[in-house]
């Protein structure tokens, strides 16, 4: 037995295999998140062909789960600080499974939109809770790397899911994509139940009746010494809640980080959501369009891993700023006229590399900006309100296309998001939260 605060033990000790296994589960959850979000993009050419909808209407459909994610991140982020990270993840996986099965049965735009909003509620909750859970299972040395690796699960899910989607579309119709996502979501429930215990930071903060027993059980799985008693509570800690985030010293960093995420995610989701339709409209088959999106996701995965490794040498803050600046340039370049599938794939991969590196960098910056007691709430607010950008991006691009703007002009306008986000990150966030 030891009297050392277990949070300090986790912070300073080497990470055990069990801690890395929890991080791996969080990577898997974000991979699931990545596939489920983009399932509508893989399915969009088939939906448009079946139901005869135009680009403006399709842009609305592409945005619906992102609207759900906005509310889900805020609502379930708050619940994750009150009920626990693990409980919220399990509940959200059930919601995602139900929503994906429902989407596969939709027979029109309005039912499909409703099911995608429901799916998004669960996906937003998963993202907010996993970001906090990953930050709290990692030690000080590898925390930024672990958060970046977690977020790298998103493009990993795009890559694996896109490859699967291409095969499914060659045999079945678009509904099979949603059915596949629903089954995989269900399979993750026992993985989380048995492999990812509650965060020790959360148990120390909430102190349920059996907190000591649970903490020692988790420490044993981490191969770390048990504690004889809980350390005294942190009396000076603020109570978690929305008011804590939008008042006092937390107001400006919360608002600034929300804008940064909002602006960059508009650029990011323009690329991810519209690639399949853009490529299909150039005359390529839907399976080829899915392949180009896979290349964008391969680039995103490489960008995430590269940024993660660089965090061991360079501050994640400045890496994130650089990635966002490069994102703006890469999206403009993607918008230049191309007719060759190989050129499209290369441009998509480069755009995916830098835009996704920017997203995962923001997650790491956000996790470091908030304390344990409202880390999930803070992440949820930033992601939730910031996701307005992800919901706006596909719809805005759809209206611009319908208004007669070409790909180059639309890409230039959508690239401004990353540029503005990098400016606020540098001029505002650096001074108040870093």
């Amino acid at each position: 037995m030891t009297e050392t605060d277990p949070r300090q033990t986790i912070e300073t000790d080497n990470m055990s295999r069990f801690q890395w296994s929890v991080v791996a589960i969080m990577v898997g959850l974000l991979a699931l998140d990545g596939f489920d979000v983009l399932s509508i993009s893989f399915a969009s050419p088939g939906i448009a062909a079946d139901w005869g909808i135009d680009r403006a209407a399709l842009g609305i459909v592409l945005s619906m789960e992102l609207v759900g994610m906005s509310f889900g991140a805020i609502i379930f982020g708050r619940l994750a600080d009150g009920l626990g990270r693990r409980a919220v993840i399990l509940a959200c996986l059930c919601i995602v499974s139900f929503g994906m099965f429902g989407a596969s049965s939709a027979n029109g735009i309005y039912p499909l939109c409703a099911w995608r909003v429901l799916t998004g509620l669960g996906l937003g909750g998963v993202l907010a809770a996993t970001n906090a859970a990953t930050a709290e299972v990692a030690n000080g040395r590898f925390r930024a790397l672990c958060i970046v690796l977690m977020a790298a699960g998103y493009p990993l899910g795009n890559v694996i899911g896109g490859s699967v989607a291409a095969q499914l579309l060659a045999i079945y119709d678009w509904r099979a994509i949603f059915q596949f996502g629903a089954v995989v979501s269900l399979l993750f429930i026992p993985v989380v139940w048995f492999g990812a215990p509650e965060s020790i930071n959360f148990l120390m903060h909430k102190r349920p009746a059996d907190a000591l027993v649970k903490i020692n059980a988790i420490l044993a799985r981490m191969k770390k010494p048990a504690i004889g008693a809980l350390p005294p509570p942190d009396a000076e800690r603020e109570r978690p809640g929305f008011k804590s985030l939008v008042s006092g010293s937390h107001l400006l960093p919360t608002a600034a980080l929300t804008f940064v995420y909002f602006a960059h995610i508009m650029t990011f989701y323009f690329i991810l959501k519209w690639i399949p339709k853009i490529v299909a409209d150039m005359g390529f088959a839907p399976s080829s369009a899915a392949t180009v999106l896979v290349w964008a996701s391969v680039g995103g995965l490489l960008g995430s891993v590269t940024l993660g490794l660089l965090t061991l040498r360079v501050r994640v803050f400045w890496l994130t700023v650089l990635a966002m600046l490069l994102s703006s340039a890469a999206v403009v370049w993607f918008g230049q006229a191309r007719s060759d599938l190989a050129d499209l794939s290369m441009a998509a991969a480069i755009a995916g590399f830098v835009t996704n590196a920017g997203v995962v960098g923001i997650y790491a910056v956000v996790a470091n900006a908030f304390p344990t007691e409202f880390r999930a709430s803070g992440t949820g607010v930033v992601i939730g309100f910031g996701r307005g950008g992800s919901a706006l991006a596909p719809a805005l691009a759809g209206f611009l296309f319908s208004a007669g703007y070409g790909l180059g002009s639309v890409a230039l306008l959508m690239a401004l998001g990353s540029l503005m986000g990098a400016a606020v990150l540098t001029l505002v966030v650096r001074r108040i939260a870093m």
Side-chain angles (χ1 to χ4, degrees), residues 288-333:
S288 297
T291 300
V292 175
L293 184 55
V294 169
W295 277 110
S297 301
V298 169
L301 178 60
L302 293 175
S304 300
V305 173
T306 301
L307 187 137
L309 295 175
L310 288 173
T311 62
L312 299 176
R313 299 286 184 181
V314 184
R315 280 186 63 194
V316 69
F317 179 88
W318 292 114
L319 290 171
T320 304
V321 171
L322 176 61
M324 292 171 70
L325 292 173
L326 293 176
S327 296
S328 186
V331 171
V332 172
W333 185 59

Side-chain angles (χ1 to χ4, degrees), residues 32 35-36 93-102 104 164 168 175-191:
L32 173 67
F35 173 77
D36 287 350
L93 284 172
C94 294
I95 294 172
V96 169
S97 301
F98 188 59
M100 292 291 282
F101 273 124
S104 72
V164 171
L168 290 173
R175 299 176 188 275
I177 295 173
F178 295 122
Q179 292 164 357
F180 173 80
V183 171
V184 176
S185 300
L186 284 175
L187 293 176
F188 259 96
I189 292 174
V191 174

